[in-house]
Amino acid sequence: MFRLCFLNKKPMDFTALVLTRQSDRSYLDKPVEPDKLEKILACARMAPSACNAQPWHIIVVNDSEIRNQVADATSEKILGMNHFTKQAPIHLVLVEEPSNMSSSFGSWVKRRHYPLIDLGIFAEHICLAAASEGLGSCMIGWFDEAKVKKICGVPSSKRVQLIITLGYPAGKTRIKIRKATEKVVSYNRYGNSIL
Ligand SMILES: Cc1cc2nc3c(=O)[nH]c(=O)nc-3n(C[C@H](O)[C@H](O)[C@H](O)COP(=O)(O)O)c2cc1C
């Protein structure tokens, strides 16, 4: 059903979507429509994960009082970090959940913590889905995890890995600043040449 309703909608060209998605750090005083939020959450659920473990839980913080508390836990006075977060009507708190047996075994054998990779993909699904709905987002990795856990009732044994602010952006789309292709791509061998 979800898939059908998405397929019936004319999708934004993927390149345009990728260029539209950006970290928005100012938001309009405008609520996010529940159906848009539902679509974004539905897209998040479709994210791939190692052994399909889906090691995530998402707390939608849309109560203004709790949102303010979470926003306070993201901002840092001395370093001047994340003072914009209070403007965003929604904060999504991404909690890492235990993965399944195969993923955990793979993580142990290969010494690679797959759930962190999974959560990154999950987060990007959210941000791209938000952009496709005309919404802005910003991933927030700088926050007081203990405070956020307390505010949202997350068990102390679990990790909150990321917070995503969500709302209608107040700013314009920026040109992306990225390393040159030849610096980040090489063919057949690790190196500094794309040839
Ligand atoms: C894991 C992660 C953590 C981040 N944490 C923050 C943060 O705490 N505050 C912030 O303003 N931006 C944060 N960002 C956004 C990055 O600064 C941003 O993605 C990067 O500068 C590229 O800009 P763009 O997203 O607009 O393309 C984070 C991004 C990622 C992927």
Side-chain angles (χ1 to χ4, degrees), residues 13 23 27 40 42 66 86 105 146 168 175 183 191:
D13 164 64
S23 295
Y27 296 92
I40 293 164
I66 304 174
K86 251 186 199 157
F105 181 69
Y168 279 94
I175 301 286
K183 281 213 163 171

Side-chain angles (χ1 to χ4, degrees), residues 2-194:
F2 156 71
R3 187 167 188 157
L4 271 181
C5 82
F6 257 81
L7 289 176
N8 288 338
K9 184 183 157 193
K10 194 173 181 303
M12 196 194 292
D13 164 64
F14 186 71
T15 308
L17 181 62
V18 166
L19 292 174
T20 306
R21 201 270 340 137
Q22 65 181 13
S23 295
D24 284 301
R25 298 186 178 90
S26 59
Y27 296 92
L28 300 177
D29 185 15
K30 179 178 172 183
V32 171
E33 297 83 346
D35 65 309
K36 290 197 172 189
L37 177 62
E38 269 173 39
K39 277 188 197 168
I40 293 164
L41 298 174
C43 285
R45 278 184 62 236
M46 295 303 136
S49 55
C51 305
N52 203 17
Q54 303 163 65
W56 45 59
H57 178 88
I58 187 164
I59 305 169
V60 178
V61 179
N62 58 0
D63 174 279
S64 56
E65 175 67 24
I66 304 174
R67 190 272 324 269
N68 280 346
Q69 290 176 29
V70 171
D72 279 341
T74 67
S75 58
E76 163 75 58
K77 280 196 187 96
I78 297 163
L79 297 174
M81 293 283 290
N82 298 333
H83 290 318
F84 67 92
T85 48
K86 251 186 199 157
Q87 296 175 25
I90 294 179
H91 283 52
L92 302 173
V93 176
L94 272 50
V95 183
E96 179 184 337
E97 291 295 321
S99 56
N100 59 20
M101 272 195 22
S102 2
S103 175
S104 304
F105 181 69
S107 284
W108 179 68
V109 173
K110 294 297 171 192
R111 294 187 295 124
R112 184 160 289 117
H113 190 61
Y114 293 117
L116 259 191
I117 302 173
D118 299 335
L119 274 163
I121 298 167
F122 185 70
E124 183 63 348
H125 266 225
I126 291 170
C127 296
L128 287 173
S132 120
E133 295 299 325
L135 291 163
S137 65
C138 186
M139 293 190 206
I140 304 289
W142 181 280
F143 56 90
D144 186 327
E145 186 179 356
K147 269 192 194 162
V148 174
K149 281 186 185 177
K150 198 167 173 208
I151 296 160
C152 299
V154 178
S156 58
S157 57
K158 300 200 186 249
R159 298 292 315 265
V160 173
Q161 296 291 14
L162 206 60
I163 294 173
I164 301 177
T165 54
L166 198 64
Y168 279 94
K172 291 191 177 133
T173 309
R174 301 182 298 272
I175 301 286
K176 297 217 175 291
I177 299 163
R178 294 295 187 260
K179 291 180 182 174
T181 306
E182 56 273 22
K183 281 213 163 171
V184 297
V185 179
S186 64
Y187 284 77
N188 304 312
R189 275 184 70 77
Y190 179 83
N192 57 8
S193 163
I194 57 167

